[in-house]
Amino acid sequence: GAVVSQHPSRVICKSGTSVKIECRSLDFQATTMFWYRQFPKQSLMLMATSNEGSKATYEQGVEKDKFLINHASLTLSTLTVTSAHPEDSSFYICSARGTTLNTEAFFGQGTRLTVV
Amino acid sequence: RKEVEQDPGPFNVPEGATVAFNCTYSNSASQSFFWYRQDCRKEPKLLMSVYSSGNEDGRFTAQLNRASQYISLLIRDSKLSDSATYLCVVNPPAGNKLTFGGGTRVLVKP
């Protein structure tokens, strides 16, 4: 199956700093990628839809100035958590789907962010 | 009503037994359906797509009931390694986003 690579898998940062997470589709082109956040024992919550060459679409309640998304190419999307706070500590996962309708999504390995 | 609802469980299953659980969805025009498996602190991985005719993959059987708007997953001859959270995922009719259920936790015990 298709492979989506996410990096880093784990990061610890200080409050107030920014963290960038990369998501790459390795063997297919993804015009759209999705960023999720998952708190312990909860399901995935969609944060935003990343569109290649255009602005991301954010879900209600997600601050676009805090969670910066860039989708500069068909194989790379980045999520930058700016001015991180301890409450931003979570598991962040990206996913991508191919261009064919109704296909499954493939997920990156996830990034566990801890803000201290 | 949530778009996609699942019984959170946990379902405590003796090894070798059969377990089944459902997932209901609210949008009758939803296009496609999937079951994903998520292990603790890992990313979700596709278990199987759910076709209108139902489908089977080894010990796993998925079915879609459009009239009652639910999909089901049945696991036969449960293995210890089947312990995980099973996520129901629905593709609504508009757009490319997937909607996730809250997950059903399954614990297979010796």
Side-chain angles (χ1 to χ4, degrees), chain A residues 32 34 36 38 43-44 46 49 59 91 93 97 102-105 107-109 112, chain B residues 31-32 34 36 38 41-44 46 49 87 91 96-98 100-103:
Chain A
T32 307
F34 305 91
Y36 296 86
Q38 186 175 34
S43 189
L44 283 80
L46 180 65
T49 302
E59 295 299 301
F91 191 50
I93 311 176
R97 301 178 79 183
N102 298 328
T103 56
E104 66 269 29
F107 287 85
Q109 299 92 328
R112 188 159 301 281
Chain B
Q31 299 288 338
S32 50
F34 309 94
Y36 279 75
Q38 186 176 25
R41 294 175 172 261
K42 300 282 188 180
E43 77 278 17
L46 180 68
S49 303
L87 300 169
N91 191 166
N96 199 24
K97 294 190 291 188
L98 294 174
F100 285 79

Side-chain angles (χ1 to χ4, degrees), chain A residues 60-71:
Chain A
Q60 193 173 13
V62 178
E63 299 175 60
K64 62 179 181 180
D65 294 329
K66 181 169 182 63
F67 299 99
L68 301 179
I69 291 173
N70 183 278
H71 196 149

Side-chain angles (χ1 to χ4, degrees), chain A residues 7-116:
Chain A
H7 177 82
S9 58
R10 189 182 298 268
V11 60
I12 301 173
C13 71
K14 292 183 178 179
S15 279
T17 61
S18 295
V19 173
K20 180 185 282 189
I21 303 169
E22 291 188 350
C23 180
R24 295 180 184 273
S25 58
L26 297 184
D27 55 359
F28 69 103
Q29 294 183 331
T31 54
T32 307
M33 290 186 177
F34 305 91
W35 288 96
Y36 296 86
R37 180 167 52 185
Q38 186 175 34
F39 291 107
K41 297 188 178 181
Q42 295 186 23
S43 189
L44 283 80
M45 290 177 51
L46 180 65
M47 298 175 65
T49 302
S50 171
N51 305 299
E52 188 266 336
S54 65
K55 292 182 179 180
T57 305
Y58 289 82
E59 295 299 301
Q60 193 173 13
V62 178
E63 299 175 60
K64 62 179 181 180
D65 294 329
K66 181 169 182 63
F67 299 99
L68 301 179
I69 291 173
N70 183 278
H71 196 149
S73 76
L74 286 171
T75 58
L76 174 64
S77 175
T78 61
L79 168 68
T80 301
V81 182
T82 63
S83 187
H85 289 281
E87 56 264 31
D88 297 325
S89 299
S90 187
F91 191 50
Y92 292 87
I93 311 176
C94 70
S95 78
R97 301 178 79 183
T99 54
T100 306
L101 288 176
N102 298 328
T103 56
E104 66 269 29
F106 298 95
F107 287 85
Q109 299 92 328
T111 298
R112 188 159 301 281
L113 171 63
T114 303
V115 185
V116 297

